Amino acid sequence: MRQLQALVAIAEEGSFSAAANRIFLSQPALSVLVKQLEESLELKLFHRTTRRVELTPAGEELLQTARRVLGELDEGLGQLRDYATCRRGKVTVAALPSLASGLLAEAVSSFRAVHPSIRIVIRDGVADVVIQAVKSGEADFALGFAVPGEKELAGTDLLMDSLIAIAPVGEFEPSRTRISWTELAQHPIVAMASGTSIRRLTDQAFAQLGIDPLPAYEVSFMSTAIALVAQGEGLAVLPSSAVAQGLPAGLARFELDSPKIERRICILERKGRQRSPSAVQMIEHLMRSARGPR
């Protein structure tokens, strides 16, 4: 590449000394580059007159290629600099729906304010789908909870999430801020669908108490659960991170205890994978969002 730079500089400056100064080489070093290039091509690229150095026909032919190659290199390096400074690029995040609609949405908003040209792809789904997206390399990282015994992924702690109950205002005394799982079981329950992380944790809590209430409804989306509670169809169990920004008017949240069910939310990454600059910045925004009020 240095040889092509030398060729272009000599062609445009018309002398070895001026070209050497332009590309910050000594004149002897520049002459060596030209000699090496001519020997490798077995062609004479320059001929010298008393006033200036001129290209031979072979040199003229090579000059067009050299300018194109150097131009493409400059463009490529510029794009790489933009990538490194987050002026271009893409970040793909896999996330549990409860985190995609809450914590991740907050982080994306603040991230986009600083890096508006970065494309963001969100793959939200159940826990197994989220983990597979990271393992396959489809996602840069995921928001989920650590799986015991998982060997392919590394987790960075983000926050502790707890299960809470959502009920219509007036369902319990105004002074109350928490209810027990046993009390919850005495009401119609709007449950998340089987296979979701929230449903598994809900079932585990009831199992600890030796009860197995039959849900009045099973839904796939938390927005549906909230809408049913708003219609007075029952109480829902949701993660605290999903309702961190508040609930619609007429609904209230209650801490669930006896037992208190928590899960450790992590940033999950494939071991050994290098973070892209965009992923680094997105994770920083997630960390800041996680430190905010929940």
Side-chain angles (χ1 to χ4, degrees):
M1 201 60 64
R2 199 66 167 147
Q3 293 171 332
L4 295 183
Q5 290 175 330
L7 174 76
V8 173
I10 295 168
E12 293 178 351
E13 298 294 337
S15 78
F16 273 63
S17 59
N21 289 332
R22 171 171 155 177
I23 61 175
F24 306 105
L25 284 178
S26 66
Q27 188 168 332
L30 180 65
S31 297
V32 169
L33 285 178
V34 171
K35 182 179 179 182
Q36 291 173 341
L37 181 59
E38 290 181 326
E39 288 177 351
S40 66
L41 296 173
E42 297 182 355
L43 291 170
K44 192 71 173 175
L45 299 175
F46 298 97
H47 62 79
R48 296 169 176 80
T49 67
T50 55
R51 296 187 175 183
R52 59 182 289 114
V53 177
E54 296 179 349
L55 288 169
T56 64
E60 290 284 1
E61 185 70 22
L62 182 59
L63 178 62
Q64 306 307 314
T65 300
R67 282 174 170 160
R68 185 181 70 255
V69 169
L70 293 174
E72 291 174 353
L73 178 62
D74 285 342
E75 182 181 357
L77 291 176
Q79 291 175 353
L80 189 59
R81 283 190 290 270
D82 287 345
Y83 170 81
T85 56
C86 292
R87 289 195 293 267
R88 63 177 288 138
K90 182 183 80 169
V91 59
T92 300
V93 186
L96 299 173
S98 59
L99 297 170
S101 62
L103 177 65
L104 181 56
E106 296 174 35
V108 165
S109 179
S110 64
F111 178 90
R112 289 283 291 176
V114 181
H115 306 293
S117 59
I118 298 297
R119 190 161 73 93
I120 301 169
V121 178
I122 298 174
R123 304 292 188 209
D124 52 345
V126 297
D128 291 346
V129 172
V130 164
I131 289 174
Q132 184 56 37
V134 180
K135 286 184 176 180
S136 67
E138 178 186 0
D140 292 281
F141 63 90
L143 293 184
F145 55 89
V147 179
E150 176 58 62
K151 296 181 179 180
E152 293 183 48
L153 303 181
T156 302
D157 289 349
L158 199 57
L159 55 84
M160 289 298 294
D161 200 20
S162 59
L163 295 191
I164 60 172
I166 305 300
V169 171
E171 188 72 31
F172 299 98
E173 296 178 5
S175 60
R176 297 195 62 179
T177 60
R178 62 183 61 241
I179 62 174
S180 69
W181 286 88
T182 302
E183 288 178 283
L184 174 68
Q186 297 169 7
H187 294 76
I189 296 174
V190 180
M192 299 306 298
S194 298
T196 62
S197 60
I198 301 304
R199 179 61 180 274
R200 283 198 291 266
L201 291 172
T202 299
D203 291 346
Q204 289 171 17
F206 284 131
Q208 289 183 39
L209 299 171
I211 57 179
D212 186 20
L214 183 66
Y217 297 92
E218 291 190 14
V219 301
S220 298
F221 299 100
M222 287 179 288
S223 57
T224 305
I226 291 173
L228 286 169
V229 175
Q231 292 298 318
E233 294 298 314
L235 278 60
V237 177
L238 298 177
S240 57
S241 60
V243 295
Q245 298 304 304
L247 288 165
L251 298 182
R253 59 181 283 172
F254 297 87
E255 301 298 322
L256 279 168
D257 56 20
S258 304
K260 184 176 179 63
I261 303 297
E262 293 182 313
R263 58 180 184 169
R264 188 179 299 278
I265 301 301
C266 301
I267 292 170
L268 302 173
E269 300 173 270
R270 194 171 63 190
K271 290 181 179 178
R273 174 166 177 157
Q274 182 72 33
R275 290 176 179 173
S276 70
S278 299
V280 169
Q281 292 300 314
M282 178 63 81
I283 288 172
E284 288 185 5
H285 282 262
L286 281 165
M287 291 291 192
R288 285 198 290 271
S289 293
R291 289 193 295 266
R294 303 249 50 87

